[in-house]
Structures are given as C-alpha cells and as structure tokens.
Amino acid sequence: MSPRRTPSGGRVNRLRTIRFTFDGTAYTGHQGDTLASALLANGVSLFGRSFKYHRPRGVLTSGVDEPNALVTVLRGEVREPNIPATMVEIHDGLTAVSQNRFPSLAYDVSAVNQLGGKFISAGFYYKTFMGPVIGPLKGTRFWMLCEKIIRRAAGLGRAGHAPDPSRYERMNAFCDVLVVGSGPAGLAAAHEAAQSGAQVILAELDPCFGGSANWSGETIDGEPAATWASDVVGELKTHDNVRLLKRTTVWGYYDGNTLAAVERVSDHKDTPAKGAPRHRHWTIRARKVVLATGAFERPLVFPGNDRPGVMMASAAMRYANQYGVLPGEKIAVLANNDSAYRAMAALAKAGARIIAIADLRQDVSAACRKLANDAGAELLTGHAVISTEGGKKLSGVKLAPFSATSGVSTGNARDIGADCLIVSGGWSPTIHLASQAGARPVWSDDLQAFLPPETGKGWIGAGAFNGNFSTAEAISEGFAAGRNAAGQPALETTALPDIEPAPLDPNPAPVFEIKAKGKAFVDFQHDVTADDVRLAHLEGFVSVEHLKRYTTLGMATDQGKGSNVPGLAIMAEALGKPIPEVGTTRFRPPYAPVSVGALAAERFGDLKPERLTPMHDWHLENGATMYSAGLWFRPMIYGGPGETIEQAYVREAQATRETAGIVDVSTLGKIAVQGPDAAEFLDRVYSNVFSTLPVGKARYGLMLREDGLVFDDGTTWRLGEHDFLMTTTTANAGKVMQHLEYFLDVVWPDLKVHLTSVTDQWAGAAIGGPKAREILASCVTGTKVDNEALPFMGIVHGEISGAPVMICRLSFSGEMAFEVYSGAGHGTHVWEALIEAGRPFDMVSYGLEALGTMRIEKGHVTGAEIDGRTSARDLHLGWMLSKKKPFIGSAMMDREGLSASGRLELVGLISLDNRPLSGGAHIVEEVDAANPHGSLGHITAACFSPALGKYIALALVSGGKARYGKRAHISDPLRNRFGPVEIVSHHFFDPEGKRMHG
Amino acid sequence: MLITCPYCGPRDVSEFAYQGDGNRTRPDPASTDSEAWNAYVYDRLNPAGIHNEIWQHAGGCRVHLAVVRDTLTHEISSVRFAREHGTPTHSRRNHGAKA
Ligand SMILES: [Zn+2]
C-alpha cells in the first residue's frame, strides 16, 4: 500500500497497477491516476523548481490550472516539456522528469537566487539590459552574453531536438450545439440538446466525463453524483446525433462560432492504437455553444504560499474523493469562504486529521461551524496563515489573528504542525472562451470575481461558469441552456434533482492577500510576488495590460488561471481603485497549451503540391538537374559527367547559338481570352495595342499595374477574330489571371469576354538556333515553316508525328526560334519527335541556366527586373506605351516620381576582372570595403556569356544610359566581392536582332 | 470566418482571396485628374468597424463579391455580386483634406 493511498474509496481502478518512473525512480499507481495523484499517493511532495528563484514546488491544483508541478514527459528521444503533472494520465512505461533543477530536484545550486530577493524583481529584463557599459565587451553584446547565462538559470522545461515521430491529424466538424465541459451543467445541456434531435458535440478536457460529479461527494436524487453522470453519459452514447470527445481541450473561440480543440488521443497509452494519431486537432463550427467550463479556485497570497504541501482546497478534496489519495495526514485550512469546509470534511472522512482552520472572516455560518466540529478541527475565525515552515515539504504554519480590513495580522502568532495546508481564496468562473469571443466580463462584488455577461452572440453559459456554484443550479441551468441552444422553447417548470448535502454560501470575504514578511506569490509559475506588483505600481505602471507585461504576471503557460484576480486585486489596492475600475485583461487563445504538431497535422513535408510539366520524366531520364520555380519543377542544366553548372550551361547556350537547342516552356502561364470584346479587353489591360493584331499573328505585350509600374510581360497570340491565347511569365500566371478576372468582373462587367486558364492544357517546347527551322521543317507536316508561311511572330497549325501542334515563331533566346505547342497529353510525344529531328543537327536540350544566359545576352527582362518598382521607361520599354488609348496604369505612369531623373534604369555590366558577378551585388563609383556606401543600384541577373566570352550582368543603375562606357565597381560586402565593371547597354548580343529575323 | 457566396453558399474564408478595399471608384479611364487617380490607387480607409471589401471566391466559382465586414468582429452583414453593384458607392471620409 502506498503511504498516502486511502484504504478504500476513489474512482481509480485498484485492481490494475501501473508502473512508471519519475526522475528515474520507479513508482506504481492505479488506472485512473494522474501523474500528480500517483506521486502524491507515493508520498512525493516535491515536483519541481520554480522559474526564477528555483524554489521547491509541489502540486497546487488537480487540473489544467496547475502552475507548479510541471514535468517533462519523455517518449524515446522526444521530450515534451511543461506538462502539468495533473494532466498526465499514467500508463505503463511512462517516463517523466522534473524541470528547472540542477543537478537534481532535491539539491539545486541555483536556489541561492532566492537569497537575493531583489535580484530578479519586476521588470528585471527591462532594467538590466539597458544603459552603457564601459570596456571591451560594451553595449548589446555584453548584455546578450549575460542574458544567455540568466536564461539558463531561469526558465521552465527544455525542449528537445529529436524529430517527433508521432502522427497528428486534423478534423473539421459541424454541429448545432457544442457543449464545452461535461460537469453536471454540461451533461444536462448535452442531454437536453440531444433529446431535441440536435447534432451535439460534448467536449471534456479530462479523461472521464462528469467534471465535479467525480469528486464532489454529493448525491443526486439519492445516487452518488458520479453514478448520475455515468448514467447521463450512457444515455448520450445511445444517440447517434451526439459525439462525445474526452481528453479534448477546447482552446480557441474564433469568429463565426468556430472553435479550436485538441484531442489527446494516444498520450495515455504506452503504444498508440494502429493508425491512431497522437493528437487530433478539431476545428468545430457550432451553431450554438454551451459554455459549461466551471470555475477555478483561487489561491490566497501570503508568505510561503508556494511551499510544497500548500494546496487548493478543492484539489485536496478531488485527490481524496476521486483518486483515493490524501495530500497530507495533518491538515491545516486557510479560507475566506465556505467551500474549503466541504473539502476539509472530505479529507477528514478519508482519514486525515484536520488540525486547525484559519478563516479570514470574523464569523462563519452555523453550517461551517458544524462541519469544523464534526471534523474535530479547531476553528479560528479572524485568523490568517502568516508564514509556512519547512524546506522541501511543509512542516507547519504560523497562525495569527488577522484583520480583513487592514490585511495584516493583529496579534501574536502561533505555530501549528501540519504537513498540508489547504487554501481557498474564492472562485473565478472559467470565462476564458467567452472572453476570447469578445465578451466583456462583469465584476461581481458578492462573488469577488469576474462573471461573463448574461449571454453572448453565439454562446449560452451554464453553472459555475455563470457564477452559480451549486450542483442544483448547474443542472437546471444546463437543462435550460441545452434547450435554448437547440432552439427549443424554455420549459415553464423543471423538476430539479435533489442534491445532498445542501450547498454552502459561495461568497468569499473580499480578502486576497495576507501582508506579512516574506515572499508571497501571486503568479507561481512566473515567480511574481505581491511586492513585484506593488513595485510595478511604484514605477508608474497604471494599465493592467502594462502591468501584466512588465511583471510577466499571468504570462506563463497557465495563462494566469489562478493569479489573474489576486494580481488585479493587489494592483487595485495600490492604485486606490476598486477592482472593476482597474479592469481585467482579455483572454486570448490558446486556453491551454497546444502541441505544434496538432496545429501542423498533415500539412508539412511531402504534401506540398508540385507542378510537373508533361515532359518531366524525359528531363529526369536525360540527366537534367531540376530545380523548383514556385511550385513548378524545371530543368536547370542537363549536365554531362564531371561538368560544373557553369560548364553545362555555357555548353548548352553555345550549342544553341551554333546549331540549335530546345527548352521546355510548358510552365509559362497561358490564358484563353475569348469573346466578341476580347480585343478591346486586351487593349485595356496591355500598354500596347492588340486590336490591330491580325489573326494568325502574335505580339509581345506589356502590362502595367494601376499605379503605373510594370506588372508582367508575355506574348499574346490571335488565334481567331474573338480568340486570343495570352502567355504570362511562369511566376505571375496566377496573379495575372486574378488581375484580369477582377477587371472583367468588377470594373468592366459590360465586356463580353471569357477567361480560361489553360496553362496545364498545353505543352510547350521552344526550339531555337540557326538550324531550328531546318529541324522543324523535317518533322512538321501539314504546314510550311519557311519565312513566307511563318514570318516573325507568325502562327501556323500543323502536325508533328501525328499530333496536332500550333507553332509560333518568336524568340526569347535571340535566335531564329519557334514555340511549338501541343496538347499536354501529346507533350512528351512531340518533344521526343523534335529531339529525334534535331539529332542530325546536334541539337541540345537546354535548361533554365542556359535560357537565362541567352536572355541576359539579349537584355530581355524577367521577374528580376520587373520587381514591382520599375517603370516601363526604366526598362527601356517606353516604346510599348501606347498614346492612342488609355490602359491600366496609363493615368499613373507619368507621375512625377516615375519620370524623375536618377531613377534606376536597366543597364548591362561587364566584369573587368574576369571574375563572376552575382545578383544582389551593389554598384558603386568607388569601392570602400570597410564602410560600403553610395550605391548606384544593384545587379539583377548575372552569367558567363559564351557569346562575349566574359562575365556579364544585367543591373538597375541610377542614371542608366548616361553611364554607358563608364567604369564602376561591384560592392558586395556579404560575399566579399569587390571589383571593376564597365557599364554598357543591356543589348549585349546582336542588338539589331538579325539572328532571330533571319 | 464564413463568407456566403451567392453561387456556392457559406464557405470558409480560406477559399477566398481578398481583392482590396471596396470603397474606391475607378476614375474615367481617360481622366487626367491626378488627385482622383491617387485617391483610387492609394487612399484606404482602414476602419475599425464596418468596411466595404471586395473578395474573390478564388477557390470556388471565381466570382467577385462586394462584402460588408466588421473588421473588429469579422461579422459579415452583406454579400453581393461586385459586378451588379459595382464597387460600393464612394463614401470616402474626407481624410485627405487640409483643414
Ligand atoms: Zn462561389
């Protein structure tokens, strides 16, 4: 028998023993235990060390609000830190370790931090990492060094580095009624909503439904409350319109009644079921939400309130009633309200000795007196605990007469031996989700707590969430909320269940703090004391939002579930204002920590979409090195054995200019623009005129944005009177489509035009070079391809190897070139036929590097130059701006700023030191490597030009043309590349275009 | 956030692409009123509250919608076809005015 396990009682399965380890020591517990209850049962009191002062800490609560007993759970190589021991279900093989201690939990060297109390006070970081420091380690660098050391000492658990092998998944769900919380209120609501036929989801964060029914010790209509709860759950299970989710924390309440929840599917198992994820993320859209989230018991602030053995009264009751565990044998009580008496009675019944009750109130009810008397406890009204004794566990408390009005002790203290002090400072309804949904909390003087407003737009509250703490109220409100949420009329009378014992008065005395000497913690997890809050006030912090950030109160993983109201109360007192005037902070998602894995779920790694051209496999089989361009994969080079990238692209470009080369251009965006107004539409969206384009011809077009800057370029082919095929750059295909659709749908709905994205329907191969026409002529049937039949920018239809093709004579490489388009399904077939036809001519296939090289030699622009900041004139494309018609961007393109002198203009650069240039390098007049400055512009694209035999680049340079023939320098301090260049025209090669016109 | 597309019904916001402030009127294409063009291209209201917006059902039927949304709550009070109603009337606050 474990030292603290009661001989009987509780809802754990005593027939099933579970073995686990904590800090390397083997322990046993029972099925139904949490790590906290199992360790308490084994007599463990020390669970961890605190954040800043490394103070020993025990377990304070029994649930999701636990600030102290945070552990790291180890699963193989994977560490999951900062899990409340109260939320870990034990299972065989569970391995957990304590946190923030060195070298061990019992002997921690950093605990000396607590001797120098002022060392890490409020605003420590803000104060410390400021101001001048003299000496070699001056400035920020010194403070960064300090911070590293302090961060190692302070902090919570350590995250691991091993990849997480677990699987996570996401679910979307819809329901009429989502009930959050399955205590008596939530169960009643789910029951009523389910009866009406509504689709219901009931979410419970604990492993079993029932909430307080599992530990209240009450009877409902003569049955134990837990039996009542399991009966209701049993009935809910028979409804196929009900989905029951346990171990599911609803953590976010978003607009449109969309809620986020995480279900811990496998954490409680030694091996997850086959195919089961570790966590499942739920996105739930609910017509109505019933918030039955209960309330948290608040700690009191007094010196030594963090000593292991100090525990919330309700938690102690839960350990006794639900887990059959006594948190102590000699128990003292500190309370400002009646609820602690019920807990005390439960502990007494379970076999603990109640030594004394210090009640902050001057008088208590007869019901409380009777409970104290029955438990054999000494009742000291108007008394407080002014300090606690003991090291790593509580050995006693100091009691003294106390004035609730002044908050200080008024008489001689008395020592009492106790190994557990149960505390109740009143209750705070769990209004987090309502607050996330935008509800402004309302202060209740009676309950000394923030209550939710009566009802929200999408939610209805019930039970303790509403500040109605009795089980009878919970059930009646739950019934009403469930009917209301399901759209059922309210019943005139409801038969309320009979609850035993009768409820006690829930209203606390308005006391939050006992002022005495010593560290009194408000936020246990972040080690924020009452004095820290007062110091922040002295330093001028007035707003509660600022106070929170300055002291970090409520900013730890527990999100201030217990510390929020006591912190506000202390702040309010310092400001001399009532609490509601100080206000409260708004709660934000997540309500409780959420695993990143659950948020990402399946959306990572291989599931990124990929776009492959029809000829993709051919490229791979023929030695292409692929790289990704957006979602597309395109050949970079077709490298031979031992070839460098530069050698490969130089060879490919050279061969193309000498004989012929072929490149896959299927990725170009293609949009069918069709309809009687198609030509008019193109005139409006392009800067140049398309209505004059004859059928069977193509034209290069330029698009501006509304602000007058260049948007995209490409050729558009007139296939028929009302039928155009527009091509766009690969990168902008989607944006151009959206741009066109916007104007057509919103601005010019009168135009009769239809747009269809046909990018994926066409395969494209561009074949260029002196022998390109001969190659084409040898394989195309059904059309001639000579200069007469197919002049520059002409279009013909024919067949290659039996597949219909459309051929346009246009050139990006600057060579005599043709773009051959076929249906995507024929892409590889046509491509292979072209390769075959090119074989006698030693045609090469070339990749993007060679394509880029040839376009740089020709001075053609791409996305590197059309960067959203350049105008048409900057790119020497002013000739494309029609003066005959307005077009998108025409009104703004002549603005002062866009025609000012000194704008960056497109130029060419030639490396004068025969070393490579690279994109992003700056152009300067004089090199100053130590203090780079005076940029004239930057390089947009660079290559080795086989045609020139030099390293060249395109650049955007202030002054542009005026600098042709002048020397300048590259300044690239990051890559340590400096050197002379000559600024030249961007038309490096064949400026007259003789080659492509043939 | 749900947007009820008149064609497709209520759909998650992830299916839609924001296409800008609906409080803008494109000047006549031939207009040389640079103030009006400047206002159209650059001036935006950025209200905390009710806002007229254009959304495209990009992951659905591709139609453009004139949506009235509360930027504080994401509540959507009206969804209409943008083409039928044009961009919502030019209810521009006089924020560019010099006093
Ligand atoms: Zn739609």
Side-chain angles (χ1 to χ4, degrees), chain A residues 920-956:
Chain A
H922 281 261
I923 321 296
V924 295
E925 277 176 346
E926 295 297 335
V927 169
D928 182 352
N931 179 26
H933 68 281
S935 172
L936 301 172
H938 59 273
I939 293 180
T940 56
C943 68
F944 178 80
S945 162
L948 277 72
K950 291 171 180 165
Y951 285 101
I952 61 170
L954 292 176
L956 292 167

mmCIF file of all heavy atoms in Angstrom, chain A residues 920-956:
data_model
loop_
_atom_site.group_PDB
_atom_site.id
_atom_site.type_symbol
_atom_site.label_atom_id
_atom_site.label_comp_id
_atom_site.label_asym_id
_atom_site.label_seq_id
_atom_site.Cartn_x
_atom_site.Cartn_y
_atom_site.Cartn_z
ATOM 1 N N GLY A 920 22.236 40.808 -56.758
ATOM 2 C CA GLY A 920 22.140 41.442 -55.448
ATOM 3 C C GLY A 920 23.326 42.323 -55.102
ATOM 4 O O GLY A 920 23.235 43.148 -54.197
ATOM 5 N N ALA A 921 24.444 42.150 -55.813
ATOM 6 C CA ALA A 921 25.615 42.988 -55.521
ATOM 7 C C ALA A 921 25.309 44.436 -55.902
ATOM 8 O O ALA A 921 24.591 44.699 -56.867
ATOM 9 C CB ALA A 921 26.814 42.490 -56.313
ATOM 10 N N HIS A 922 25.853 45.349 -55.140
ATOM 11 C CA HIS A 922 25.602 46.772 -55.422
ATOM 12 C C HIS A 922 26.656 47.340 -56.372
ATOM 13 O O HIS A 922 27.758 46.813 -56.495
ATOM 14 C CB HIS A 922 25.560 47.572 -54.114
ATOM 15 C CG HIS A 922 24.255 47.405 -53.418
ATOM 16 N ND1 HIS A 922 23.253 48.329 -53.493
ATOM 17 C CD2 HIS A 922 23.771 46.377 -52.677
ATOM 18 C CE1 HIS A 922 22.202 47.882 -52.816
ATOM 19 N NE2 HIS A 922 22.498 46.707 -52.308
ATOM 20 N N ILE A 923 26.264 48.427 -57.039
ATOM 21 C CA ILE A 923 27.165 49.122 -57.952
ATOM 22 C C ILE A 923 27.547 50.446 -57.290
ATOM 23 O O ILE A 923 26.657 51.176 -56.822
ATOM 24 C CB ILE A 923 26.460 49.461 -59.302
ATOM 25 C CG1 ILE A 923 25.551 48.319 -59.756
ATOM 26 C CG2 ILE A 923 27.472 49.873 -60.358
ATOM 27 C CD1 ILE A 923 26.252 47.043 -60.061
ATOM 28 N N VAL A 924 28.844 50.723 -57.210
ATOM 29 C CA VAL A 924 29.311 51.979 -56.601
ATOM 30 C C VAL A 924 30.348 52.618 -57.528
ATOM 31 O O VAL A 924 30.931 51.950 -58.393
ATOM 32 C CB VAL A 924 29.941 51.741 -55.207
ATOM 33 C CG1 VAL A 924 28.905 51.238 -54.221
ATOM 34 C CG2 VAL A 924 31.103 50.742 -55.288
ATOM 35 N N GLU A 925 30.561 53.909 -57.307
ATOM 36 C CA GLU A 925 31.599 54.568 -58.100
ATOM 37 C C GLU A 925 32.987 54.235 -57.570
ATOM 38 O O GLU A 925 33.909 53.974 -58.322
ATOM 39 C CB GLU A 925 31.359 56.087 -58.115
ATOM 40 C CG GLU A 925 30.345 56.442 -59.191
ATOM 41 C CD GLU A 925 29.946 57.898 -59.232
ATOM 42 O OE1 GLU A 925 30.243 58.640 -58.273
ATOM 43 O OE2 GLU A 925 29.333 58.288 -60.231
ATOM 44 N N GLU A 926 33.134 54.284 -56.243
ATOM 45 C CA GLU A 926 34.427 53.988 -55.622
ATOM 46 C C GLU A 926 34.214 52.898 -54.579
ATOM 47 O O GLU A 926 33.281 52.979 -53.774
ATOM 48 C CB GLU A 926 34.984 55.240 -54.918
ATOM 49 C CG GLU A 926 35.329 56.384 -55.861
ATOM 50 C CD GLU A 926 36.444 56.035 -56.847
ATOM 51 O OE1 GLU A 926 37.254 55.139 -56.533
ATOM 52 O OE2 GLU A 926 36.468 56.645 -57.934
ATOM 53 N N VAL A 927 35.106 51.920 -54.536
ATOM 54 C CA VAL A 927 34.990 50.852 -53.546
ATOM 55 C C VAL A 927 35.431 51.370 -52.178
ATOM 56 O O VAL A 927 36.446 52.042 -52.064
ATOM 57 C CB VAL A 927 35.857 49.642 -53.950
ATOM 58 C CG1 VAL A 927 35.954 48.645 -52.794
ATOM 59 C CG2 VAL A 927 35.270 48.960 -55.166
ATOM 60 N N ASP A 928 34.628 51.092 -51.178
ATOM 61 C CA ASP A 928 35.024 51.345 -49.804
ATOM 62 C C ASP A 928 34.581 50.127 -49.003
ATOM 63 O O ASP A 928 33.480 50.085 -48.457
ATOM 64 C CB ASP A 928 34.349 52.630 -49.281
ATOM 65 C CG ASP A 928 34.779 52.960 -47.849
ATOM 66 O OD1 ASP A 928 35.478 52.112 -47.238
ATOM 67 O OD2 ASP A 928 34.413 54.034 -47.363
ATOM 68 N N ALA A 929 35.450 49.116 -48.975
ATOM 69 C CA ALA A 929 35.072 47.829 -48.400
ATOM 70 C C ALA A 929 34.787 47.932 -46.908
ATOM 71 O O ALA A 929 33.957 47.208 -46.374
ATOM 72 C CB ALA A 929 36.168 46.797 -48.667
ATOM 73 N N ALA A 930 35.479 48.838 -46.223
ATOM 74 C CA ALA A 930 35.309 48.950 -44.775
ATOM 75 C C ALA A 930 33.974 49.597 -44.432
ATOM 76 O O ALA A 930 33.369 49.278 -43.407
ATOM 77 C CB ALA A 930 36.452 49.766 -44.181
ATOM 78 N N ASN A 931 33.537 50.478 -45.288
ATOM 79 C CA ASN A 931 32.309 51.207 -44.988
ATOM 80 C C ASN A 931 31.515 51.355 -46.276
ATOM 81 O O ASN A 931 31.468 52.420 -46.881
ATOM 82 C CB ASN A 931 32.682 52.587 -44.400
ATOM 83 C CG ASN A 931 31.437 53.397 -44.104
ATOM 84 O OD1 ASN A 931 30.363 52.839 -43.865
ATOM 85 N ND2 ASN A 931 31.567 54.727 -44.160
ATOM 86 N N PRO A 932 30.898 50.269 -46.712
ATOM 87 C CA PRO A 932 30.232 50.298 -48.008
ATOM 88 C C PRO A 932 29.133 51.363 -48.032
ATOM 89 O O PRO A 932 28.327 51.452 -47.112
ATOM 90 C CB PRO A 932 29.612 48.905 -48.130
ATOM 91 C CG PRO A 932 30.333 48.076 -47.136
ATOM 92 C CD PRO A 932 30.738 48.993 -46.036
ATOM 93 N N HIS A 933 29.131 52.179 -49.062
ATOM 94 C CA HIS A 933 28.115 53.216 -49.170
ATOM 95 C C HIS A 933 28.047 53.687 -50.618
ATOM 96 O O HIS A 933 28.857 53.287 -51.449
ATOM 97 C CB HIS A 933 28.449 54.394 -48.249
ATOM 98 C CG HIS A 933 29.673 55.147 -48.678
ATOM 99 N ND1 HIS A 933 30.947 54.686 -48.406
ATOM 100 C CD2 HIS A 933 29.828 56.294 -49.383
ATOM 101 C CE1 HIS A 933 31.833 55.532 -48.914
ATOM 102 N NE2 HIS A 933 31.186 56.512 -49.516
ATOM 103 N N GLY A 934 27.099 54.542 -50.881
ATOM 104 C CA GLY A 934 26.998 55.191 -52.181
ATOM 105 C C GLY A 934 26.529 54.270 -53.287
ATOM 106 O O GLY A 934 27.040 54.324 -54.406
ATOM 107 N N SER A 935 25.509 53.425 -52.972
ATOM 108 C CA SER A 935 25.030 52.510 -54.004
ATOM 109 C C SER A 935 24.367 53.264 -55.157
ATOM 110 O O SER A 935 23.549 54.155 -54.942
ATOM 111 C CB SER A 935 24.017 51.538 -53.389
ATOM 112 O OG SER A 935 23.423 50.773 -54.407
ATOM 113 N N LEU A 936 24.725 52.872 -56.375
ATOM 114 C CA LEU A 936 24.083 53.427 -57.568
ATOM 115 C C LEU A 936 22.974 52.508 -58.061
ATOM 116 O O LEU A 936 22.210 52.865 -58.950
ATOM 117 C CB LEU A 936 25.105 53.563 -58.702
ATOM 118 C CG LEU A 936 26.321 54.446 -58.454
ATOM 119 C CD1 LEU A 936 27.308 54.288 -59.600
ATOM 120 C CD2 LEU A 936 25.897 55.892 -58.320
ATOM 121 N N GLY A 937 22.948 51.313 -57.506
ATOM 122 C CA GLY A 937 21.976 50.333 -57.975
ATOM 123 C C GLY A 937 22.476 48.940 -57.661
ATOM 124 O O GLY A 937 23.399 48.776 -56.858
ATOM 125 N N HIS A 938 21.861 47.948 -58.309
ATOM 126 C CA HIS A 938 22.235 46.577 -57.975
ATOM 127 C C HIS A 938 22.118 45.676 -59.195
ATOM 128 O O HIS A 938 21.427 45.992 -60.171
ATOM 129 C CB HIS A 938 21.342 46.054 -56.856
ATOM 130 C CG HIS A 938 19.881 46.064 -57.200
ATOM 131 N ND1 HIS A 938 19.079 47.167 -56.995
ATOM 132 C CD2 HIS A 938 19.093 45.134 -57.775
ATOM 133 C CE1 HIS A 938 17.864 46.911 -57.433
ATOM 134 N NE2 HIS A 938 17.838 45.680 -57.910
ATOM 135 N N ILE A 939 22.778 44.527 -59.107
ATOM 136 C CA ILE A 939 22.725 43.524 -60.171
ATOM 137 C C ILE A 939 21.449 42.702 -60.029
ATOM 138 O O ILE A 939 21.087 42.289 -58.930
ATOM 139 C CB ILE A 939 23.970 42.608 -60.101
ATOM 140 C CG1 ILE A 939 25.227 43.419 -60.431
ATOM 141 C CG2 ILE A 939 23.813 41.410 -61.031
ATOM 142 C CD1 ILE A 939 26.502 42.607 -60.389
ATOM 143 N N THR A 940 20.759 42.482 -61.140
ATOM 144 C CA THR A 940 19.544 41.670 -61.096
ATOM 145 C C THR A 940 19.783 40.248 -61.582
ATOM 146 O O THR A 940 19.114 39.324 -61.160
ATOM 147 C CB THR A 940 18.442 42.303 -61.963
ATOM 148 O OG1 THR A 940 18.950 42.477 -63.290
ATOM 149 C CG2 THR A 940 18.027 43.661 -61.413
ATOM 150 N N ALA A 941 20.728 40.073 -62.504
ATOM 151 C CA ALA A 941 20.993 38.732 -63.032
ATOM 152 C C ALA A 941 22.403 38.721 -63.611
ATOM 153 O O ALA A 941 22.853 39.722 -64.166
ATOM 154 C CB ALA A 941 19.984 38.375 -64.116
ATOM 155 N N ALA A 942 23.092 37.588 -63.476
ATOM 156 C CA ALA A 942 24.478 37.538 -63.939
ATOM 157 C C ALA A 942 24.773 36.163 -64.519
ATOM 158 O O ALA A 942 24.119 35.171 -64.173
ATOM 159 C CB ALA A 942 25.424 37.821 -62.776
ATOM 160 N N CYS A 943 25.750 36.096 -65.417
ATOM 161 C CA CYS A 943 26.131 34.818 -66.006
ATOM 162 C C CYS A 943 27.508 34.964 -66.669
ATOM 163 O O CYS A 943 28.048 36.064 -66.764
ATOM 164 C CB CYS A 943 25.112 34.397 -67.065
ATOM 165 S SG CYS A 943 25.122 35.458 -68.521
ATOM 166 N N PHE A 944 28.009 33.820 -67.130
ATOM 167 C CA PHE A 944 29.148 33.882 -68.061
ATOM 168 C C PHE A 944 28.545 33.855 -69.451
ATOM 169 O O PHE A 944 27.753 32.976 -69.785
ATOM 170 C CB PHE A 944 30.106 32.706 -67.874
ATOM 171 C CG PHE A 944 31.243 32.763 -68.859
ATOM 172 C CD1 PHE A 944 32.327 33.613 -68.619
ATOM 173 C CD2 PHE A 944 31.218 32.014 -70.030
ATOM 174 C CE1 PHE A 944 33.371 33.690 -69.530
ATOM 175 C CE2 PHE A 944 32.260 32.096 -70.946
ATOM 176 C CZ PHE A 944 33.342 32.936 -70.697
ATOM 177 N N SER A 945 28.912 34.802 -70.274
ATOM 178 C CA SER A 945 28.350 34.856 -71.621
ATOM 179 C C SER A 945 29.286 34.165 -72.591
ATOM 180 O O SER A 945 30.391 34.648 -72.854
ATOM 181 C CB SER A 945 28.165 36.313 -72.048
ATOM 182 O OG SER A 945 28.028 36.363 -73.458
ATOM 183 N N PRO A 946 28.851 33.016 -73.134
ATOM 184 C CA PRO A 946 29.696 32.363 -74.136
ATOM 185 C C PRO A 946 29.817 33.218 -75.401
ATOM 186 O O PRO A 946 30.843 33.194 -76.070
ATOM 187 C CB PRO A 946 28.982 31.049 -74.424
ATOM 188 C CG PRO A 946 27.641 31.141 -73.814
ATOM 189 C CD PRO A 946 27.637 32.257 -72.841
ATOM 190 N N ALA A 947 28.794 33.992 -75.716
ATOM 191 C CA ALA A 947 28.843 34.809 -76.923
ATOM 192 C C ALA A 947 29.905 35.896 -76.802
ATOM 193 O O ALA A 947 30.576 36.234 -77.777
ATOM 194 C CB ALA A 947 27.472 35.415 -77.199
ATOM 195 N N LEU A 948 30.062 36.461 -75.575
ATOM 196 C CA LEU A 948 31.034 37.537 -75.385
ATOM 197 C C LEU A 948 32.346 37.012 -74.808
ATOM 198 O O LEU A 948 33.351 37.719 -74.813
ATOM 199 C CB LEU A 948 30.482 38.609 -74.440
ATOM 200 C CG LEU A 948 29.566 39.672 -75.057
ATOM 201 C CD1 LEU A 948 28.215 39.082 -75.424
ATOM 202 C CD2 LEU A 948 29.393 40.840 -74.109
ATOM 203 N N GLY A 949 32.289 35.815 -74.241
ATOM 204 C CA GLY A 949 33.469 35.277 -73.575
ATOM 205 C C GLY A 949 33.808 36.029 -72.294
ATOM 206 O O GLY A 949 34.967 36.095 -71.877
ATOM 207 N N LYS A 950 32.786 36.602 -71.669
ATOM 208 C CA LYS A 950 33.012 37.410 -70.462
ATOM 209 C C LYS A 950 31.919 37.140 -69.438
ATOM 210 O O LYS A 950 30.834 36.662 -69.770
ATOM 211 C CB LYS A 950 32.968 38.904 -70.813
ATOM 212 C CG LYS A 950 34.127 39.369 -71.652
ATOM 213 C CD LYS A 950 33.881 40.779 -72.126
ATOM 214 C CE LYS A 950 35.070 41.242 -72.967
ATOM 215 N NZ LYS A 950 34.755 42.444 -73.729
ATOM 216 N N TYR A 951 32.236 37.518 -68.175
ATOM 217 C CA TYR A 951 31.191 37.527 -67.158
ATOM 218 C C TYR A 951 30.407 38.821 -67.306
ATOM 219 O O TYR A 951 30.992 39.912 -67.315
ATOM 220 C CB TYR A 951 31.807 37.431 -65.762
ATOM 221 C CG TYR A 951 32.301 36.036 -65.464
ATOM 222 C CD1 TYR A 951 33.656 35.710 -65.554
ATOM 223 C CD2 TYR A 951 31.402 35.031 -65.107
ATOM 224 C CE1 TYR A 951 34.104 34.427 -65.302
ATOM 225 C CE2 TYR A 951 31.841 33.739 -64.845
ATOM 226 C CZ TYR A 951 33.188 33.434 -64.947
ATOM 227 O OH TYR A 951 33.614 32.162 -64.695
ATOM 228 N N ILE A 952 29.100 38.685 -67.456
ATOM 229 C CA ILE A 952 28.274 39.873 -67.658
ATOM 230 C C ILE A 952 27.103 39.836 -66.685
ATOM 231 O O ILE A 952 26.867 38.835 -66.001
ATOM 232 C CB ILE A 952 27.735 39.955 -69.102
ATOM 233 C CG1 ILE A 952 26.851 38.730 -69.409
ATOM 234 C CG2 ILE A 952 28.891 40.067 -70.095
ATOM 235 C CD1 ILE A 952 26.084 38.860 -70.719
ATOM 236 N N ALA A 953 26.382 40.947 -66.655
ATOM 237 C CA ALA A 953 25.221 41.010 -65.770
ATOM 238 C C ALA A 953 24.265 42.067 -66.281
ATOM 239 O O ALA A 953 24.649 42.983 -67.001
ATOM 240 C CB ALA A 953 25.645 41.349 -64.339
ATOM 241 N N LEU A 954 23.001 41.904 -65.874
ATOM 242 C CA LEU A 954 22.046 42.995 -66.022
ATOM 243 C C LEU A 954 21.944 43.671 -64.666
ATOM 244 O O LEU A 954 22.088 43.027 -63.624
ATOM 245 C CB LEU A 954 20.675 42.475 -66.458
ATOM 246 C CG LEU A 954 20.593 41.896 -67.868
ATOM 247 C CD1 LEU A 954 19.198 41.329 -68.124
ATOM 248 C CD2 LEU A 954 20.938 42.963 -68.911
ATOM 249 N N ALA A 955 21.737 44.983 -64.700
ATOM 250 C CA ALA A 955 21.667 45.712 -63.436
ATOM 251 C C ALA A 955 20.706 46.868 -63.578
ATOM 252 O O ALA A 955 20.383 47.312 -64.684
ATOM 253 C CB ALA A 955 23.048 46.218 -63.051
ATOM 254 N N LEU A 956 20.207 47.316 -62.436
ATOM 255 C CA LEU A 956 19.404 48.533 -62.402
ATOM 256 C C LEU A 956 20.283 49.598 -61.771
ATOM 257 O O LEU A 956 20.676 49.475 -60.609
ATOM 258 C CB LEU A 956 18.126 48.298 -61.589
ATOM 259 C CG LEU A 956 17.138 47.335 -62.244
ATOM 260 C CD1 LEU A 956 16.062 46.890 -61.260
ATOM 261 C CD2 LEU A 956 16.497 47.972 -63.474
#
